[in-house]
Amino acid sequence: MISPAVSVAYDETPHAARTSDEKAYADESATAWALAARDGDPAAVENFVRALHRDVRTYVTYLSADPQAADDLAQDTFLRASAACTASRAARRPAPGCCPSPAGR
């Protein structure tokens, strides 16, 4: 597993265009950053958002068919995830939606 403290340059390749090894590495990295973010690491929060923002924005653009609304929806997605992680940290239990689940794919 990648160390969440390691800052990795953001790969702008869309998730769908990556090889299976690259997808596995990206998923593993995002999960490590989500867990570190849940524990209060601000650098991990930034890495988590940078790693997933493009894919989330692409997905919500597809769902909404409105690029301007997609920016708001992507931002709202990360704000909700942040709130869930904050609540999880306060309660010291996993919160739904805070950390991605590889089994759910």
Side-chain angles (χ1 to χ4, degrees), residues 17-70:
R18 297 177 184 158
T19 67
S20 61
D21 286 343
E22 290 170 330
K23 287 179 187 179
Y25 178 79
D27 290 346
E28 189 175 294
S29 298
T31 299
W33 289 323
L35 293 171
R38 179 193 64 195
D39 293 336
D41 181 352
V45 173
E46 182 177 345
N47 286 333
F48 178 74
V49 171
R50 284 178 169 267
L52 297 178
H53 186 269
R54 185 179 195 146
D55 290 336
V56 169
R57 189 180 182 289
T58 299
Y59 181 65
V60 296
T61 300
Y62 167 78
L63 291 177
S64 70
D66 180 356
Q68 289 180 327

Side-chain angles (χ1 to χ4, degrees), residues 2 4 8 13 15-16 20 23 33 36 38 56 59 66 68-69 74-76 79 82 87 90 93 99 103-104:
I2 189 168
V8 177
T13 306
H15 197 73
S20 61
K23 287 179 187 179
W33 289 323
R38 179 193 64 195
V56 169
Y59 181 65
D66 180 356
Q68 289 180 327
Q75 182 178 5
D76 188 56
L79 287 174
S82 177
R93 59 179 172 75
C99 301

